[in-house]
Amino acid sequence: MNRRDFLRHMPAWAGLGAWSRTPASPARQADVPATPAVAFYYGSRLPWDELRLFDWVVLEPEHALAERQDVAAALGSGSIAVAYVSAGEVHPQRPYAGSIPKTWIRVRNEAWGSWVIDQAAPGWAEFFLDRIVAPLWQAGFRAFFLDTLDSYQLFARTDEARTAQAGALRRILSALVARFPGARLIMNRGFELLDEQLAPHLLAVAAESLYRRYDAGDRRYSEVPDADRKWLLDRFAQVRRLGVPVIAIDYVPAGDRTLARETARRIAASGAIPWVSDPGLHTLGVGSVEVVPRRVLLLHDPVDPEQLNLKRTSAHRHGALPLEYLGLVPEYREVGAEAPTEPLAGRYAAVVLYLDDANVADAAREVLVQASREGVPVVVLGQAPAHVLGALGVETGEGSLRAPLQLRRAPGIPPGEADPRPIEGLPLLRAGVQSRVWLWVEDSTGERTDVAAVTPWGGYLLPGYGVYLLPGGAGARWVVDPIEFLRQALRLGEDPMPDVTTCVGRRAFFAHFDGDGWLNRCNLPGTPTAGEYLWREYLTRYHVPVTASLIVGEVSAQGVYASMANLAQESARRVLALPHVQAASHTWSHPFQWGVAVGAVGGEGQELAYGVHLRLPGYEFDLRTEIAGSKAWIEERLCPPGKAVDLLLWSGDCNPPAAAIRLAREAGMGTMNGGGGALTRIRPSITQLWPMGISKREEYQVYAAASNEMDYTNNWQAPFTGYERVIDTFAMTELPRRIKPVNLYFHPYLITQPAGAQALHDAFRWVQSQPLHAITARRYHDLVHAWRAAAVGRQLGGGWRMHSPAPLRQWRQPASAPLPSVLGSQGLAGWNEHAGLRYLHVTDERAHVLSGPPGARVVDANADIASFSRTPDGGWRARLQGHLPVELRLDLPPGWQVRGNATVRRQGAQAVLTTDSTILEVQCRPG
């Protein structure tokens, strides 16, 4: 980017006045979005998910192509990828710089270390098109941001010289659009180059420093003088009269988001498209849309290179779930790992330090201070020395408290799950001015230590006052409400966040089972095998989606039960033939310890008594066989035609390395298992619950949403009645907060005992009695991945813009937010409210949510909104499709009418539509 304010006083060339009187053609106006959102990002480690919120995205192509070969596809169909191209200068670090003849170079730009090119030099035009633009075109770019268009003024000192250079540039631009049909351009200044032939090819004309500027020499930010601003506004006005939009790029410090928002509003009020960022354009700045960061830099203790021990850290075990509930995506990073090189502001919602070993805390100090300096909230949980807290502003004192001690809670804070016994030997700490102390410990002298506080920079919980370990290994409890604590410490507002617990307003439900015990005999009349009994008494009775997985080593003739292979396969084929049953693999040999099996961890004494995996005759462990091989075997031998194995359910410790997850993904399978959580009245703490999943190097493992019977029966021990408490889990993860979807997860051997068989019947019947939204296990897997990639931004004029990768279509926000308008929004079908949250039902990958008159809206449904469109009469029509007979509830304002291929029952202002079909067509219209 050329940032030279001393070039701003370029002459208003004579022809520009005549051009400004030429009206824009209707075709030219239709080419430009009414209010395009534009982003400029030149840094590496591109925030791809967030950039999809913007209509035009200007990128440094070398950085973008180093990460994604097809940049346009990576941004999606809703965004135009624009490649930065320096037209007037060449930096010596560019790969083609060595081919530049010295005769083309007129002067060196000392401010940026680049060479200024003579635009009229013989051969330069061809070089520019062949060596600079053509490779970008071949890489998929169809739009170009042309920078340094005015650099020739550094050496062209006469009107004649400037006219010659401008003429050469016009010829180059004409050749560019002729050689690359359909190419669109954004010019950085170059006002003197505009003519009627070029204007139709322009997306916009940009210029820097309309209100706020940066002086690279002095390294100083300042307000643009009025005279300079007026000159630029006059140029912008002339460009707009050509029907070409204008973009103003201003600069403020990365951490001053308040000034950035104020500047963006001023730019928009002047009629320009705003982008306000740092001078290097390495920050997700503020434009027509301001990204609401969802990523949290979660700093944790050092773990093994494969991250197999990450699941044992408190950062993952206890820190991730509250963040995820708030809509935030944990980005795991070891303390001491290379710190981010780009600004944190605009990219991260917070930095959270959650350690089990205080000795490694110093390695996090630099990034914590950087975040605090940039205005990014910092939260310290777990182990951290007093001096690390002191670096953030906590006041430290000499000495410590003396027994007896008392724990005090501030009035009005939400209750926790336990009141621990005060810990002796705590350092003397005060949270500091403008802090809200939640908990403190005081002694008989009146001396105190603030052990939990929300501070101006974020907040902290001292060890033992976040998660408290109960005596005798009886579990753990949160001393504070972690979700509300983090909501306040991270200064979260009313922004919508994506949700995986709910689909079209109803709590999501899915069922899956691992294949263990398929041939076990049931302790029931006739002693059928578990697979036979499961098919006869459950899967043919409860017509809900169930994902059935099988272990090749248990059902094949080469497996551990070779003599019963025909019986095993016959019952498996019956199950997989059912239309509501999805096929999955539970691997080939059921690895019990994945790290040992693949050699990621080793050493004597790590094998279990029954081995690392099933002892199959003649079998040597092979990762591809376990994954792709098991998929192929089940599809070829057991699945009916057209039914594919699209999910692999992890076995044993459910702790696979990244290589295993990658192989499954490359084979076309999602993966799931691990995690869960048996939250019950016996152990009523959300510390029992696990997060959605866990990072494994470059891959991500999705956890099951609930535990199977092993966690409810103390590892499958008599009296086998424990799984009846799964209904407690379903109820307690619905209220007071909907934390998890409903997930029936079990092994076939559950039904070999009468108590287990009855518990599974009770669970299925409970599911059928609830207003749930049935999905498949693979759909849940895909929802979690989409949730991680979803992005939301605040629109400068009000409301929100959301990007929801398929299949995610559910968002939520506090019910205190302004009511959204189905009529005024785009891609919104309706909403409902539950437990203080409003669930927004979006219908498209992109949605724009605005407040206003609601119109008719979808309240909830047990089926997906497959299509949704507006009708000329001011109403809308929709098509819903699900796994069960469709139920749809609508809210109808006075005068609105509804019709569809369903029975309609009016209930006051609402209408309930039911049908025997899994597809429903509905239309609502006013009057």
Side-chain angles (χ1 to χ4, degrees):
M1 173 68 69
N2 181 20
R3 294 174 291 276
R4 293 185 298 276
D5 284 335
F6 58 84
L7 291 179
R8 64 185 176 273
H9 291 301
M10 63 187 69
W13 295 81
L16 188 58
W19 299 331
S20 67
R21 292 191 293 271
T22 304
S25 68
R28 176 71 197 99
Q29 292 173 331
D31 287 345
V32 180
T35 53
V38 184
F40 291 76
Y41 191 86
Y42 291 176
S44 57
R45 212 166 70 87
L46 276 73
W48 296 98
D49 298 332
E50 291 80 5
L51 291 174
R52 295 187 188 103
L53 289 170
F54 297 90
D55 301 302
W56 305 337
V57 182
V58 183
L59 302 169
E60 167 52 61
E62 288 185 15
H63 290 161
L65 291 170
E67 296 184 16
R68 304 287 178 92
Q69 290 185 345
D70 191 337
V71 174
L75 286 178
S77 59
S79 303
I80 296 177
V82 185
Y84 171 90
V85 175
S86 177
E89 301 179 12
V90 172
H91 197 279
Q93 293 183 349
R94 293 290 181 181
Y96 47 79
S99 302
I100 299 290
K102 292 183 179 180
T103 56
W104 292 357
I105 302 170
R106 295 296 301 272
V107 70
R108 177 180 170 87
N109 184 342
E110 298 297 338
W112 303 104
S114 52
W115 305 324
V116 181
I117 302 297
D118 180 355
Q119 297 297 311
W124 162 248
E126 292 78 10
F127 183 94
F128 177 74
L129 296 179
D130 293 342
R131 297 290 302 277
I132 300 177
V133 179
L136 299 176
W137 184 267
Q138 293 167 4
F141 285 99
R142 294 296 179 265
F144 305 95
F145 177 80
L146 302 179
D147 193 22
T148 61
L149 290 170
D150 49 9
S151 294
Y152 64 82
Q153 297 193 50
L154 289 171
F155 65 84
R157 300 300 185 183
T158 67
D159 287 349
E160 181 180 3
R162 288 192 290 266
T163 300
Q165 290 293 310
L169 266 170
R170 285 196 195 94
R171 291 190 293 273
I172 291 173
L173 297 183
S174 296
L176 189 158
V177 297
R179 177 169 171 179
F180 305 105
R184 308 302 299 275
L185 309 177
I186 299 177
M187 292 170 46
N188 188 18
R189 295 185 179 252
F191 300 112
E192 71 279 14
L193 305 177
L194 280 170
D195 59 24
E196 296 178 9
Q197 287 73 41
L198 182 61
H201 302 282
L202 294 178
L203 286 173
V205 172
E208 298 156 282
S209 305
L210 180 60
Y211 289 97
R212 304 289 306 180
R213 64 184 180 183
Y214 177 74
D215 189 313
D218 295 340
R219 297 184 178 182
R220 186 173 63 89
Y221 298 90
S222 63
E223 179 85 7
V224 173
D226 289 342
D228 297 350
R229 182 181 308 114
K230 183 180 183 304
W231 182 90
L232 186 53
L233 287 173
D234 289 343
R235 304 288 84 71
F236 277 174
Q238 293 172 324
V239 173
R240 283 198 300 268
R241 283 195 286 271
L242 279 172
V244 177
V246 293
I247 302 170
I249 307 165
D250 278 19
Y251 303 109
V252 302
D256 197 341
R257 303 296 279 186
T258 299
L259 179 58
R261 295 181 191 112
E262 175 191 334
T263 304
R265 284 192 290 269
R266 294 174 71 186
I267 292 172
S270 74
I273 300 168
W275 185 251
V276 184
S277 182
D278 69 288
L281 296 172
H282 291 178
T283 304
L284 273 172
V286 179
S288 303
V289 170
E290 178 188 359
V291 170
V292 178
R294 293 185 57 231
R295 301 197 176 274
V296 171
L297 199 60
L298 183 54
L299 305 175
H300 58 83
D301 299 85
V303 296
D304 60 290
E306 292 293 334
Q307 296 186 307
L308 298 181
N309 292 327
L310 178 59
K311 67 182 294 184
R312 300 183 179 92
T313 65
S314 292
H316 174 68
R317 186 66 183 84
H318 301 303
L321 181 137
L323 292 169
E324 290 177 349
Y325 177 81
L326 293 168
L328 305 177
V329 182
E331 184 177 300
Y332 295 94
R333 188 184 296 261
E334 282 189 7
V335 292
E338 184 178 357
T341 56
E342 68 279 347
L344 303 175
R347 189 182 191 110
Y348 290 103
V351 175
V352 174
L353 176 69
Y354 200 157
L355 297 179
D356 297 311
D357 182 359
N359 294 320
V360 300
D362 282 338
R365 183 170 177 171
E366 181 179 346
V367 71
L368 297 181
V369 172
Q370 176 190 352
S372 180
R373 184 174 62 247
E374 293 183 14
V376 176
V378 173
V379 172
V380 178
L381 309 172
Q383 300 289 337
H387 66 268
V388 171
L389 293 172
L392 295 169
V394 176
E395 301 169 9
T396 60
E398 299 292 333
S400 60
L401 301 180
R402 300 178 181 179
L405 305 176
Q406 287 186 316
L407 177 65
R408 303 291 191 188
R409 287 183 181 269
I413 69 166
E417 298 173 342
D419 284 329
R421 180 178 179 179
I423 301 170
E424 297 184 10
L426 288 174
L428 299 180
L429 299 175
R430 289 296 180 93
V433 296
Q434 298 181 333
S435 296
R436 185 186 182 196
V437 178
W438 282 39
L439 302 174
W440 68 93
V441 174
E442 63 182 35
D443 63 17
S444 58
T445 69
E447 192 67 78
R448 62 181 273 182
T449 283
D450 298 336
V451 298
V454 173
T455 66
W457 46 265
Y460 67 92
L461 299 173
L462 291 189
Y465 298 96
V467 173
Y468 173 64
L469 300 179
L470 299 176
R477 299 285 189 274
W478 276 99
V479 181
V480 300
D481 179 342
I483 292 172
E484 189 56 34
F485 178 82
L486 288 170
R487 187 194 306 279
Q488 294 188 26
L490 304 185
R491 303 191 287 273
L492 302 181
E494 296 178 334
D495 302 300
M497 290 292 164
D499 184 271
V500 301
T501 70
T502 308
C503 294
V504 196
R506 294 193 179 191
R507 192 179 184 190
F509 155 73
F510 66 97
H512 74 289
F513 65 80
D514 298 342
D516 309 51
W518 188 254
L519 285 169
N520 288 19
R521 293 290 181 178
C522 297
N523 186 16
L524 296 163
T527 61
T529 65
E532 292 175 308
Y533 196 69
L534 184 60
W535 170 78
R536 186 175 76 230
E537 298 297 328
Y538 296 88
L539 300 181
T540 60
R541 177 180 296 186
Y542 306 110
H543 293 271
V544 296
V546 177
T547 296
S549 73
L550 296 155
I551 306 167
V552 175
E554 280 201 2
V555 301
S556 72
Q558 293 75 39
V560 290
Y561 307 114
S563 63
M564 300 178 67
N566 288 337
L567 177 62
Q569 293 175 32
E570 180 183 357
S571 58
R573 291 189 190 99
R574 285 180 180 174
V575 166
L576 296 180
L578 295 171
H580 58 280
V581 172
Q582 296 80 48
S585 168
H586 199 43
T587 74
W588 191 281
S589 70
H590 195 286
F592 300 107
Q593 293 178 292
W594 282 88
V596 177
V598 302
V601 297
E604 296 181 0
Q606 295 208 33
E607 289 195 17
L608 301 176
Y610 42 87
V612 175
H613 53 82
L614 291 177
R615 294 182 175 130
L616 306 180
Y619 176 69
E620 291 187 10
F621 181 85
D622 177 74
L623 199 54
R624 291 186 181 275
T625 300
E626 294 293 332
I627 296 171
S630 66
K631 168 185 166 70
W633 193 94
I634 294 170
E635 287 178 342
E636 293 170 6
R637 307 293 183 89
L638 303 178
C639 288
K643 182 170 285 190
V645 172
D646 64 358
L647 192 68
L648 182 136
L649 301 175
W650 299 114
S651 60
D653 63 1
C654 297
N655 194 18
I661 303 173
R662 182 178 64 253
L663 284 174
R665 176 171 53 80
E666 292 172 349
M669 290 187 290
T671 60
M672 194 170 70
N673 273 356
L679 170 64
T680 65
R681 286 174 290 179
I682 296 174
R683 293 195 172 186
S685 171
I686 64 171
T687 60
Q688 294 294 308
L689 302 176
W690 290 72
M692 294 182 197
I694 186 169
S695 296
K696 297 288 181 68
R697 296 173 65 89
E698 70 282 359
E699 300 291 338
Y700 184 81
Q701 175 187 348
V702 177
Y703 285 157
S707 289
N708 57 46
E709 73 288 332
M710 292 288 282
D711 284 348
Y712 292 93
T713 60
N714 193 22
N715 291 330
W716 194 235
Q717 298 185 59
F720 307 114
T721 59
Y723 196 61
E724 64 188 11
R725 293 196 298 273
V726 73
I727 296 175
D728 286 352
T729 303
F730 298 156
M732 296 173 72
T733 52
E734 170 73 347
L735 290 172
R737 294 184 176 107
R738 184 178 290 168
I739 300 179
K740 295 282 186 179
V742 173
N743 175 201
L744 273 182
Y745 173 26
F746 58 95
H747 296 96
Y749 60 70
L750 170 66
I751 60 175
T752 61
Q753 298 296 331
Q758 184 58 50
L760 188 58
H761 275 303
D762 290 344
F764 269 110
R765 289 168 183 153
W766 184 90
V767 164
Q768 289 189 319
S769 72
Q770 303 298 308
L772 303 176
H773 186 121
I775 61 174
T776 65
R778 174 58 195 259
R779 170 75 176 274
Y780 177 72
H781 164 276
D782 294 347
L783 283 172
V784 171
H785 279 278
W787 179 89
R788 291 172 53 78
V792 59
R794 302 184 192 113
Q795 297 186 136
L796 195 61
W800 291 273
R801 177 181 289 207
M802 291 107 83
H803 184 271
S804 307
L808 181 75
R809 293 295 180 262
Q810 189 76 74
W811 291 70
R812 58 177 167 82
Q813 64 182 150
S816 58
L819 284 175
S821 168
V822 172
L823 296 177
S825 301
Q826 297 178 27
L828 179 70
W831 74 88
N832 67 357
E833 295 183 0
H834 171 78
L837 294 175
R838 180 176 302 127
Y839 290 81
L840 306 173
H841 320 323
V842 305
T843 61
D844 298 315
E845 189 172 84
R846 272 193 178 182
H848 300 179
V849 174
L850 302 171
S851 60
R857 64 180 171 94
V858 173
V859 177
D860 60 50
N862 68 343
D864 296 328
I865 302 173
S867 64
F868 184 88
S869 59
R870 301 293 178 81
T871 54
D873 57 11
W876 52 263
R877 63 166 55 93
R879 183 176 187 268
L880 285 82
Q881 185 168 0
H883 293 278
L884 303 172
V886 178
E887 301 172 0
L888 168 65
R889 192 156 54 109
L890 303 173
D891 188 85
L892 298 175
W896 278 74
Q897 300 177 4
V898 59
R899 66 181 182 183
N901 61 325
T903 300
V904 180
R905 291 182 293 110
R906 297 298 292 256
Q907 297 178 348
Q910 293 191 343
V912 178
L913 284 71
T914 57
T915 177
D916 293 334
S917 172
T918 58
I919 297 175
L920 185 149
E921 306 274 355
V922 62
Q923 182 172 348
C924 289
R925 63 183 181 87

